[in-house]
Amino acid sequence: QVQLVESGGQVVQPGTSLRLSCEGSGFTFNRYGMIWVRQAPGKGLEWVAVISYDGANQFYADSVKGRFTISRDNPKDTLFLQMNSLNVEDTAIYYCVREDLVIVPGSQKKSFVYYYFMDVWGKGTTVTVSS
Amino acid sequence: EIVLTQSPGTLSLSPGDRATLSCRTSQTISSSYLNWYQQRPGQAPRLLIYGASTRATGIPDRFTGSGSGTDFTLTINRLEPEDFAVYYCQQYGTSLYSFGRGTKLEIK
């Protein structure tokens, strides 16, 4: 079945680095954009980063821009999140998420409607930044 | 940046009741870019509704999404015990995503 499995979460000190991994299975990994979403303890969901299906484009939340890097290895069906200069505010469960895109004809001639959504979620990996 | 405001923050209802959850966006967005997720305690979120009104695979028809412009609603009819959870709306715009803060649906 379609599955995402994260790994790499651990307890680290402020200022250090950590790399998370996410292995996909049960689907054609290189056909989908991939996303990292995090959730701080007792808080809501925060989008972190997205990478296009071919790895050519990446976008980041302002809170992590310049510190985190999202990348992928399509032959190995694996997504990564390199996290540098970690601080206590980065403490969270990090979810690996598949981005789906559905395109349907629009109401006007030669127009299309695009649907972007997060349709498959991993169980998450926990990162704790503490001194 | 588009801000999503969900209300109420907490909704206390009984099984069998109807729940109405609101999500307002700070700017007009395309309905196709508004999605809803459910997160049960201790679990990862799961997709409920995409494109404001299309149920995801396997989601029962008790869940209905509606709305347009800046006002969107998730309605849950005939609440079941497993529906008591946190619900998040989320929007997509120019390769960026954002979530609302969530509505906690609790048993009265």
Side-chain angles (χ1 to χ4, degrees):
Chain A
Q1 73 279 23
V2 176
Q3 196 171 5
L4 296 168
V5 179
E6 303 94 336
S7 61
Q10 61 179 283
V11 179
V12 296
Q13 292 192 332
T16 60
S17 299
L18 192 64
R19 188 174 86 155
L20 305 182
S21 300
C22 167
E23 185 171 349
S25 60
F27 66 101
T28 305
F29 187 80
N30 62 15
R31 290 186 179 178
Y32 292 87
M34 295 297 296
I35 293 168
W36 288 99
V37 172
R38 68 184 181 183
Q39 186 170 35
K43 303 296 184 182
L45 303 172
E46 179 187 16
W47 168 76
V48 173
V50 60
I51 187 168
S52 58
Y53 70 98
D54 58 0
N57 297 292
Q58 309 90 34
F59 297 90
Y60 300 90
D62 288 343
S63 58
V64 306
K65 200 174 295 183
R67 299 188 299 123
F68 289 13
T69 302
I70 188 172
S71 61
R72 62 192 299 160
D73 184 342
N74 281 345
K76 296 184 178 179
D77 295 342
T78 303
L79 175 73
F80 302 102
L81 185 67
Q82 177 67 42
M83 305 185 293
N84 298 331
S85 302
L86 285 162
N87 55 59
V88 295
E89 290 77 30
D90 297 318
T91 295
I93 298 172
Y94 284 74
Y95 294 103
C96 171
V97 188
R98 189 176 80 173
E99 177 188 64
D100 202 358
L101 167 61
V102 172
I103 306 173
V104 301
S107 56
Q108 298 186 354
K109 191 176 179 181
K110 295 186 179 180
S111 70
F112 297 91
V113 180
Y114 295 79
Y115 297 84
Y116 286 89
F117 48 91
M118 305 177 188
D119 69 335
V120 179
W121 295 66
K123 293 186 177 182
T125 187
T126 300
V127 174
T128 302
V129 184
S130 174
S131 55
Chain B
E1 178 190 348
I2 297 177
V3 177
L4 284 71
T5 302
Q6 291 189 243
S7 61
T10 302
L11 186 57
S12 299
L13 294 170
S14 301
D17 288 347
R18 171 187 294 175
T20 302
L21 287 65
S22 172
C23 176
R24 288 190 171 175
T25 59
S26 58
Q27 302 173 34
T28 297
I29 65 170
S30 169
S31 298
S32 68
Y33 293 162
L34 193 287
N35 308 312
W36 291 92
Y37 301 84
Q38 176 194 65
Q39 187 176 33
R40 293 169 174 156
Q43 295 186 15
R46 69 163 177 163
L47 177 68
L48 287 179
I49 301 283
Y50 67 90
S53 60
T54 303
R55 279 184 294 275
T57 303
I59 301 303
D61 60 7
R62 298 184 290 102
F63 292 86
T64 302
S66 62
S68 64
T70 60
D71 289 335
F72 299 88
T73 301
L74 175 67
T75 302
I76 313 170
N77 290 312
R78 305 179 306 278
L79 284 167
E80 298 281 348
E82 62 268 24
D83 297 337
F84 291 91
V86 180
Y87 293 83
Y88 296 93
C89 60
Q90 169 255 311
Q91 71 86 31
Y92 166 87
T94 320
S95 297
L96 299 179
Y97 289 92
S98 57
F99 289 91
R101 291 190 170 189
T103 289
K104 182 180 181 180
L105 179 56
E106 66 177 22
I107 299 178
K108 189 174 182 180

